[in-house]
Amino acid sequence: FVTERGRLVGVLSRRDLLTTYLRDDDVIRADVEHVLAARPDQRQVNVSVRDGIVLLLGRVEWRSTRAVIAERVRAVPGVVEVADRLGYVFDDGAQPRACEPTVPFLLRSCEGRDMRARDIMTTPVMTVRPETPIKEAAALLAARGFTALPVIDAEYRLIGIVTEADLVRDRVPRDPRALCHPGEQMPTVATTTVGEVMTTPVVAMGPGTDVAVLARTLLDAGHRSMPIVDGSRLIGIVTRRDIVRVIARDDDTIAEDVRHRLEIYGGDRRWQVEVHDGMVSIGDQFDDETDRHVATTLAEAVPGVVRATAFAARDGDDR
């Protein structure tokens, strides 16, 4: 319950908090751009959003405007933190500390903000319905090389999953000659549809799930695939093979992706990127520890990156 001077003004639930936290980056960016458009001196600011972290690039009129922008943007639902590389025309002596990303924030942002399920999931997904014949589902698994098929209803909501084990169970009759007792009866197989053999309820995860958490869940539970849902609606699936494919990305491709992400933060000439076996080294032409933490965070979000480290390039030249 939320009160104001003893008067009830609203109710705050866990769902309200989750809804805010899980807002899509595109929606957050649109709201931030709307906030910035309200003032003429803020309209030349470019906005980039990833996992709720807002990056502002551009130029404002007054130095103090940077702090104002940061406070306005932080008020947008779903924004985790604001980092900026904003230049200014006039120096009014204000200290823009409010909009500078701090090292503790950047360290926190690295936790659980690497690859997400949405980055590696397979979509669209091959699915079946509860009324699908078992033979048809088995043919799909055999022909496509899948180990499981999500089961959906008419609204594409996930209601179960059917695996190879579900289809095989009780579907292979025993040899009648192996019966020990003449009076023993063979079990009758009565199941004919997926709905009769599927596993339900089914474990699923959201598109923003850290791939490290997803992989650990697959291994601990002995599962080979994990459905990805938005609410209850199926939007993708991640298999062990998808994770292996990420690990197998070649270093040149990883380096190209890292450079592309760093271009939005400091330009393409500032950073020197090298990748060896998924380990990324980032050389910074400027000696700015805060920027190097941001660069590390951006690099570790690239699929295939095992770990990223950044250093001042001139320091590296002296080694």
Side-chain angles (χ1 to χ4, degrees):
F1 299 97
V2 182
T3 60
E4 181 178 350
R5 297 181 180 179
R7 184 171 64 90
L8 179 65
V9 296
V11 176
L12 184 66
S13 67
R14 293 181 179 178
R15 178 172 296 179
D16 295 326
L17 296 175
L18 288 174
T19 300
T20 299
Y21 177 75
L22 295 176
R23 293 191 83 203
D24 185 77
D25 287 342
D26 291 336
V27 176
I28 295 174
R29 185 177 65 252
D31 286 353
V32 170
E33 291 173 345
H34 178 73
V35 168
L36 297 179
R39 292 186 53 168
D41 60 340
Q42 299 175 13
R43 292 176 182 172
Q44 300 304 316
V45 177
N46 295 319
V47 181
S48 177
V49 183
R50 181 173 177 82
D51 298 329
I53 302 174
V54 178
L55 176 62
L56 304 175
L57 298 171
R59 191 176 181 88
V60 294
E61 188 171 350
W62 294 95
R63 186 174 183 178
S64 59
T65 306
R66 297 176 63 192
V68 174
I69 289 177
E71 293 305 316
R72 290 175 179 269
V73 172
R74 284 196 183 95
V76 173
V79 172
V80 176
E81 188 52 274
V82 180
D84 83 75
R85 292 290 98 188
L86 295 175
Y88 51 87
V89 179
F90 303 108
D91 188 350
D92 52 8
Q95 297 298 320
R97 294 172 182 164
C99 57
E100 290 288 355
T102 62
V103 172
F105 148 66
L106 290 165
L107 291 176
R108 291 198 306 273
S109 70
C110 289
E111 298 175 359
R113 293 191 179 276
D114 297 335
M115 284 180 293
R116 300 305 181 105
R118 69 170 72 92
D119 297 325
I120 68 170
M121 69 182 185
T122 298
T123 185
V125 190
M126 180 68 67
T127 61
V128 291
R129 301 283 290 276
E131 62 271 19
T132 300
I134 287 178
K135 277 187 171 292
E136 183 178 331
L140 283 174
L141 290 179
R144 301 300 182 93
F146 299 152
T147 59
L149 292 169
V151 185
I152 60 172
D153 62 12
E155 281 73 40
Y156 222 78
R157 292 176 299 191
L158 181 68
I159 59 175
I161 192 166
V162 60
T163 66
E164 293 172 322
D166 294 327
L167 297 181
V168 170
R169 188 178 297 112
D170 297 330
R171 299 291 300 183
V172 181
R174 293 165 53 189
D175 187 341
R177 295 168 297 180
L179 295 177
C180 298
H181 305 288
E184 186 178 354
Q185 298 294 321
M186 294 291 295
T188 301
V189 178
T191 56
T192 59
T193 64
V194 165
E196 297 174 273
V197 300
M198 69 180 184
T199 298
T200 187
V202 58
V203 177
M205 291 186 170
T209 303
D210 191 323
V211 172
V213 174
L214 193 155
R216 175 54 56 188
T217 302
L218 288 177
L219 294 174
D220 290 347
H223 296 160
R224 294 181 177 273
S225 58
M226 178 67 66
I228 306 300
V229 296
D230 183 3
S232 60
R233 187 172 182 274
L234 181 69
I235 61 173
I237 191 168
V238 175
T239 66
R240 292 185 183 181
R241 181 173 297 177
D242 292 325
I243 298 175
V244 170
R245 189 178 296 115
V246 169
I247 297 173
R249 293 189 84 202
D250 65 89
D251 290 341
D252 290 340
T253 302
I254 294 173
E256 182 179 351
D257 285 355
V258 171
R259 292 189 187 99
H260 177 71
R261 297 202 179 197
L262 294 183
E263 284 179 3
I264 68 172
Y265 195 77
D268 57 344
R269 296 184 179 182
R270 175 175 177 177
W271 312 100
Q272 299 173 356
V273 178
E274 294 184 1
V275 182
H276 299 286
D277 296 329
M279 306 291 289
V280 179
S281 296
I282 304 171
D284 182 8
Q285 296 294 329
F286 304 146
D287 189 7
D288 191 315
E289 182 179 359
T290 298
D291 284 358
R292 291 198 295 273
H293 277 279
V294 174
T296 300
T297 302
L298 293 173
E300 290 185 341
V302 173
V305 172
V306 177
R307 183 176 301 172
T309 56
F311 57 90
R314 61 187 178 207
D315 292 340
D317 294 339
D318 295 333
R319 293 173 187 171

